[in-house]
Structures are given as C-alpha cells and as structure tokens.
Amino acid sequence: MAMLHVVNKSPYDACNLNTASSIMKEGDQLLLIEDGVYGAMKNAKAESLLNGLKVSVLGPDLAARGISQDKLVDGIDVVDYAGFVDLVEANDKVQSWL
Amino acid sequence: MGSIEANGKTYETDEEGYLADLNSWDKDVAEVMAKIDDCELTDNHWEVINFLREYYEEYQIAPAVRVLTKAIGKKLGKDKGNSKYLYELFPYGPAKQACKYAGLPKPTGCV
Amino acid sequence: MSDAKKFMYINRKAPYGTIYAWESLEVVLIGAAFEQDVSLAFMDDGVYQLTKGQDTSGIGMKNFSPTYSALGDYEVSKIYVEKESLEERGLTLDDLQHLVWEDEDEDYAEKDSIRLVSRAELADVLAGQDVLFNF
C-alpha cells in the first residue's frame, strides 16, 4: 500500500517536510512541489531530511525559482506535470501535507 | 471590460481603456487609442512609447513618472528628460497616457 | 533629506508560493515616490526572491525577478542580504542577481546595491530604522 507524500511548503517556513519524511514508510514516495522544491537543494540545512527516501521534484516549480539541476541533492528525480500524474497513478494513496 | 477596433481587428481593454493583453498590442491600436484622446502621434510620441515598451520588456513594470523622466533624460537627452516636455506630449500624464498607448498596464502606484 | 524617515522593508518569504514577495516589491516601488530613505532586507526564505535564472513559463505566473533590477532607478540602493539565511539554504552571493544603482554624483557610476550582512549586523541596521514593514 504505497503512498505518495506531497509537500508544497519550504522546509524553513513550515515543518511539513519534517513530518512527512519522518512518517514515510518503506516503499512510499515523496514529491516536492511549489515552495516545497527548496527542500531538494544540496549543501543546505534541510538536506538530511531526504536521507534514504525516494524523492521526486516538479521541474516547472524548480525553473520558476531559478534552481538548476546541479543544485539538487543527488538521486532526485525531476518530473513534469505528466510525471506528477504518473506518480499519483503508481501509488495507492496521495497524502498532501498542506 | 471594453474593446477597441483598429484596422478591422478587435482589442480587448479594461474599463479604463488599457489593453487587456500586452501581447495583442500593435502600432494600429496605439494610433486609434491616441485618436480617441484627440492626440496625433508624432515621432516624439513614438520615442517615449517605444522606450516604455522596452522598459517593460526588461523590468516587467511600467516606471513611475519620476523614474521615466530621469531615464528618458539619460537616453534621449536633457531637453526631453523633463516633465514639461513629457506633459506637452502627453497632457493626461506621461506615465498614464503613454503607457496606455504602449499597451502596458497602468503604472504601479498610479491612481 | 534630513527630515526623511528611514523605511525598512523586511522580506522573509519565498517568491511565487505566496503573494508576499510581489506585494512587497509593489509597495516598495510605490513608496519610493515619497522620497524617504528606503532600505530592503532579505532574510529567511526571502533570500530566495533574489536568485538568478528564474523562469516561470511552466507555472503560468508572472516572473517578477527582473523587477528587482529596476530598484536602482527608484533610488533604492541599500539591499541587505543576511549571510546566515543564505548559507543555511546552500546559497552564495553568486546565486543571486547582481543588483546595481547609478550614482548621479559620480557620472552615473554603477555601484553594488547588495550588502551581505551577518544576523548581528542586520540587527544593528534594523535598530537604526524609523519604520519597519514586514512581508
């Protein structure tokens, strides 16, 4: 019963990423969108929250914020809107941490 | 919402006559907008209109009058970078009126 | 200028996710017409507002990052960026836009607007202001 966890807030402005990453179970996936994409940046304080997680991030939201691929934590999957839909389909449930 | 006809084309405007879509602008609609205000567009008018379009393209805002005046002075010379000159060209207010003809939204802070 | 008040706009939110960043910029541009002594501070997620290379074509929102370059035209030349906030987010000054203003008294010489300050230094800057606006 895999779950897709969606986070749309900056990890420095809200504790959503903190909660999501600590509640995620084996096989669950994390998708970062909107201001949540800041959580995907490397050399940053929130970076360690992603340790051991399967993480995707929405490309158009990265581009809007001027975050290039080389700024991302290694192993993160960048998806477009179609990829967002695929993730929703591939998981049994979606949990949006608003 | 209103609209303006120019050269057989229809342009949507807001209630104050500013173009709804910046990208729908062309010289024809500028001429027609000016005619409605009883204003004939000369090369001097076009200089300012083109300047505003370039400014918007670069900074994504229409400049305040004070900023416009200074920038025009720097680009086109001191004899043009003063409010007397600009108000003669655009008696309804250089920022407001010239921005309208340039297809830009009303300048930020203009009431 | 002696009776001008010192206005400080404090920006602490990321762009696009909320409307604060753009609202602040609009208020600054409107306020600049009143010839006060204006400063801007960017701290916490506010430092994200100044990153270069922003392209909003994929999210259907206005890209207002080019507007920060117009601040110099509005005689806003003091832009404080907090060092700790940048570092925490894995950013350096190189990731931010290069913002300048032109000094009329020195034949329009271009000067840097951004001043990198520590939290302690920013505290002193804030203490010296007359009015603080928060966004």
Side-chain angles (χ1 to χ4, degrees), chain A residues 8-14 34-35 38-39 41-46 58 60-67 71 81, chain C residues 12-18 45 48-49 51-60 63 87-92 95:
Chain A
N8 75 337
K9 302 284 193 301
S10 158
Y12 307 102
D13 198 41
E34 298 168 18
D35 285 347
Y38 291 119
M41 292 178 76
K42 68 178 171 192
N43 304 324
K45 204 172 149 192
L58 195 59
D61 282 326
L62 285 177
R65 289 159 181 80
I67 307 169
K71 293 265 174 209
Y81 290 108
Chain C
R12 297 182 46 252
K13 303 276 187 218
Y16 312 118
T18 64
D45 279 356
Y48 289 135
Q49 293 178 29
T51 55
K52 53 188 174 196
Q54 296 178 25
D55 172 8
T56 58
S57 55
I59 63 168
N63 178 1
E87 283 172 359
E88 211 172 71
R89 288 163 182 75
L91 297 171
T92 67
D95 296 309

Side-chain angles (χ1 to χ4, degrees), chain B residues 12-29:
Chain B
E12 274 187 45
T13 64
D14 67 10
E15 63 278 2
E16 291 178 275
Y18 290 80
L19 274 193
D21 176 13
L22 172 72
N23 297 315
S24 70
W25 182 89
D26 57 27
K27 297 210 164 185
D28 294 336
V29 73

Side-chain angles (χ1 to χ4, degrees), chain B residues 28-107:
Chain B
D28 294 336
V29 73
E31 300 274 7
V32 171
M33 282 175 158
K35 201 160 278 170
I36 293 170
D37 294 338
D38 256 337
C39 170
E40 177 119 18
L41 296 182
T42 64
D43 287 350
N44 288 337
H45 290 93
W46 280 112
E47 241 175 14
V48 178
I49 292 169
N50 289 330
F51 178 87
L52 281 169
R53 287 192 64 83
E54 285 163 23
Y55 195 94
Y56 193 90
E57 178 65 31
E58 183 167 0
Y59 299 115
Q60 299 297 304
I61 47 164
V65 186
R66 184 170 62 92
V67 173
L68 172 70
T69 311
K70 216 166 77 177
I72 290 272
K74 207 186 149 201
K75 185 155 186 218
L76 305 173
K78 284 274 177 242
D79 53 325
K80 295 182 174 176
N82 59 75
S83 15
K84 185 172 175 290
Y85 173 79
L86 291 171
Y87 269 95
E88 272 167 12
L89 285 179
F90 300 101
Y92 296 103
K96 241 177 174 171
Q97 192 181 357
C99 281
K100 190 192 265 189
Y101 302 165
L104 308 185
K106 212 160 73 162

Side-chain angles (χ1 to χ4, degrees), chain A residues 31 55-60 62 68-69 72 75-80 83:
Chain A
L31 173 64
V55 186
S56 300
V57 58
L58 195 59
L62 285 177
S68 52
Q69 296 259 3
L72 300 182
I76 287 187
D77 195 22
V78 178
V79 298
D80 57 11

